[in-house]
Amino acid sequence: MNSAVAIPVVEALGRLTDHQQKILRGDNKVSPGEPATFTHGMTPGVDQVCQGDLDLNLEEGAIPKGFALRKNRLDGQLVPGTTNGSKHIVVDPSTCDIYDPQGWSPEYDGLIGPIVVAKQDTVIGHPTHGAVTILAGQQVHCEYQRVWEQEQARERRQRD
């Protein structure tokens, strides 16, 4: 390798190592509301991005049994409900295919959500959280964080 190429490579590796050390020390935190992008460097089955209480897990492979292509192609909502907090929405549903788990509806109370397969770069927006971009060709599975107050209320009802 000639020195004209070697010097920029060494400098880039140095910046990467410095950035890695900042992350390890906790000096480079992500602030709420910042936009995020799934990159090509992320690993399916390992990496995820959280948009508030919605976990977006990078995956690959066939759509699992029990999921069906969403019939309403204009509906980009990924979290059931009508509150402002449930407005995790694909900004332009024509950029992706959305596969819903069996029984998914506005009243759905499970923890497993839709799968989004990006045909083009796809943006998931929210009124208060930062937008999340899924790159063309990537597949993301939505999961919902538990709402412990609802879980406890359900348990109390079952005990009564």
Side-chain angles (χ1 to χ4, degrees):
M1 184 181 305
N2 67 35
S3 62
V5 174
I7 292 171
V9 169
V10 170
E11 289 172 353
L13 287 173
R15 286 192 308 274
L16 183 61
T17 302
D18 290 345
H19 187 68
Q20 179 187 32
Q21 292 305 312
K22 282 183 182 178
I23 292 170
L24 291 172
R25 286 191 309 267
D27 294 343
N28 194 27
K29 297 186 185 295
V30 175
S31 300
E34 286 186 359
T37 299
F38 281 92
T39 68
H40 292 296
M42 296 175 118
T43 305
V46 175
D47 288 316
Q48 74 173 190
V49 171
C50 295
Q51 188 185 49
D53 55 1
L54 175 64
D55 298 337
L56 300 163
N57 302 294
L58 187 61
E59 294 185 346
E60 62 184 358
I63 302 298
K65 289 182 181 178
F67 284 78
L69 183 63
R70 184 170 289 182
K71 289 182 175 62
N72 182 353
R73 306 289 293 162
L74 300 177
D75 178 11
Q77 188 160 342
L78 301 176
V79 176
T82 57
T83 65
N84 216 27
S86 65
K87 300 298 183 201
H88 299 267
I89 298 174
V90 173
V91 175
D92 180 0
S94 71
T95 62
C96 65
D97 288 327
I98 300 174
Y99 295 84
D100 293 321
Q102 189 171 17
W104 200 89
S105 71
E107 294 81 34
Y108 180 75
D109 68 351
L111 298 175
I112 303 298
I115 295 172
V116 179
V117 179
K119 299 184 288 187
Q120 303 168 32
D121 290 359
T122 299
V123 177
I124 300 171
H126 188 274
T128 58
H129 304 302
V132 176
T133 301
I134 305 165
L135 300 180
Q138 291 180 323
Q139 176 176 309
V140 172
H141 192 170
C142 303
E143 291 183 356
Y144 311 123
Q145 295 177 12
R146 291 179 180 262
V147 179
W148 288 109
E149 295 83 16
Q150 292 176 2
E151 298 278 333
Q152 291 171 338
R154 212 173 295 148
E155 289 176 13
R156 282 193 295 275
R157 283 193 301 273
Q158 289 174 351
R159 281 194 303 256
D160 291 344

